[in-house]
Amino acid sequence: MTHDTSDSADIPVTHGVLYIVSTPIGNLEDISLRALKVLSSVDIIAAEDTRKTGILLNHYNIHKPLVSYYSYNEERRIPELIEKLKSGNSIAVVSDAGTPGVSDPAFRLIKAAIDEDIPVAATPGPTAFLPALISSGLPIQPFLFEGFLPVKKGRQTKLQELAKEQRTVILYESPFRLLRTLQDIQTHFGNRKICIARELTKKFEEIITTSLSQAIKHYSAKSIKGEFVIIISTERM
Ligand code: SAM
């Protein structure tokens, strides 16, 4: 099989474009050649975590001006970045990890650019929920990606709603709330088949597909560290 490259090879990085660049979720090798090209060519990189992005850029010997763009300064930063794009600068937005906009603050900048008719281009790449889903052995389609559950207000209502879902449900969770979230899921869903994917692409990667009650037992018995994706099947145990 051959790949027709005539309509895709060597598209130059263009002035005045907001590039949405996916970066690794752990393993620094999980980055596309095009993402590296864009990061090496843009005028500015807007990063959720400049320290973490600095490590990635150093690894690939990329030296570009970095500005911070995260939930606490986005209100102020968005108009500044939009002005720079309008005056012809090319900007890459990168998040802490994975695909910008997927459960992180890049969405508002992307929307602001589109509202101002600024061209937007994405370099596709890593995101945590997709490798978790395809490694889980749980039905892949259809799925619902919910991201983080509300921490307080609306949490119980959201769980009641999700318990009625006929699709595989995907959640993100931090180590601090994992156990509580698993217990809340059990209250609303009953004992479902689930997958917990921890530290994907990293040294301590762990992907467990089991019953919810077993998962609660497993995580009650140890200190919980790392980053987690929870996948809930419609299958009851
Ligand atoms: N933009 C990211 C993406 O494309 O997946 C998600 C950002 S969100 C702020 C961070 C959450 O993603 C973590 O709390 C965890 O639920 C999930 N996550 C990120 N990296 C992960 C990894 N290596 N393994 C498992 N889950 C991960």
Side-chain angles (χ1 to χ4, degrees):
M1 186 176 152
T2 58
H3 293 274
D4 179 7
T5 55
S6 56
D7 58 354
S8 64
D10 224 20
I11 298 175
V13 172
T14 316
H15 295 294
V17 174
L18 176 66
Y19 289 93
I20 308 160
V21 178
S22 298
T23 57
I25 56 165
N27 190 321
L28 288 187
E29 292 184 358
D30 290 330
I31 189 156
S32 75
L33 295 177
R34 182 160 170 248
L36 292 175
K37 177 172 148 184
V38 168
L39 291 173
S40 312
S41 312
V42 288
D43 299 303
I44 301 162
I45 299 173
E48 187 183 5
D49 181 339
T50 50
R51 193 195 58 87
K52 208 166 167 192
T53 300
I55 295 170
L56 176 75
L57 297 179
N58 265 341
H59 185 80
Y60 288 104
N61 212 10
I62 296 172
H63 304 285
K64 284 285 162 183
L66 268 178
V67 298
S68 70
Y69 167 82
Y70 59 108
S71 41
Y72 293 103
N73 74 358
E74 62 179 350
E75 200 86 16
R76 171 167 59 87
R77 202 57 106 193
I78 287 172
E80 290 170 14
L81 293 171
I82 294 292
E83 266 325 296
K84 291 206 184 307
L85 284 158
K86 281 184 169 168
S87 56
N89 289 282
S90 52
I91 298 181
V93 59
V94 299
S95 53
D96 181 6
T99 295
V102 176
S103 291
D104 66 37
F107 169 72
R108 288 189 59 194
L109 175 60
I110 297 162
K111 184 171 182 309
I114 290 166
D115 289 348
E116 294 286 334
D117 287 328
I118 291 166
V120 164
T123 68
T127 188
F129 74 85
L130 213 45
L133 178 63
I134 58 170
S135 314
S136 69
L138 302 180
I140 295 176
Q141 281 111 212
F143 71 82
L144 170 70
F145 172 68
E146 185 63 32
F148 293 101
L149 286 173
V151 176
K152 287 191 185 130
K153 196 169 175 284
R155 184 175 171 91
Q156 300 308 320
T157 315
K158 176 57 76 182
L159 281 159
Q160 274 163 19
E161 230 174 72
L162 293 176
K164 294 185 206 130
E165 259 302 326
Q166 293 306 307
R167 295 172 284 186
T168 301
V169 173
I170 308 173
L171 303 174
Y172 279 171
E173 197 46 281
S174 78
F176 317 107
R177 270 189 292 272
L178 180 77
L179 199 52
R180 183 184 145 207
T181 293
L182 293 178
Q183 288 160 343
D184 283 352
I185 295 170
Q186 192 170 41
T187 304
H188 290 275
F189 291 65
N191 193 20
R192 295 282 186 93
K193 192 167 186 185
I194 69 160
C195 171
I196 300 178
R198 169 178 177 263
E199 293 287 86
L200 288 163
T201 78
K202 303 186 201 175
K203 191 172 171 189
F204 296 109
E205 177 177 280
E206 181 182 59
I207 302 168
I208 303 173
T209 300
T210 181
S211 67
L212 187 48
S213 57
Q214 278 303 322
I216 291 173
K217 219 183 253 174
H218 178 79
Y219 282 107
S220 299
K222 57 197 235 175
S223 72
I224 303 175
K225 289 190 189 129
E227 299 193 277
F228 294 88
V229 182
I230 303 171
I231 307 182
I232 314 163
S233 156
T234 54
E235 190 181 330
R236 291 176 195 284
M237 303 294 285

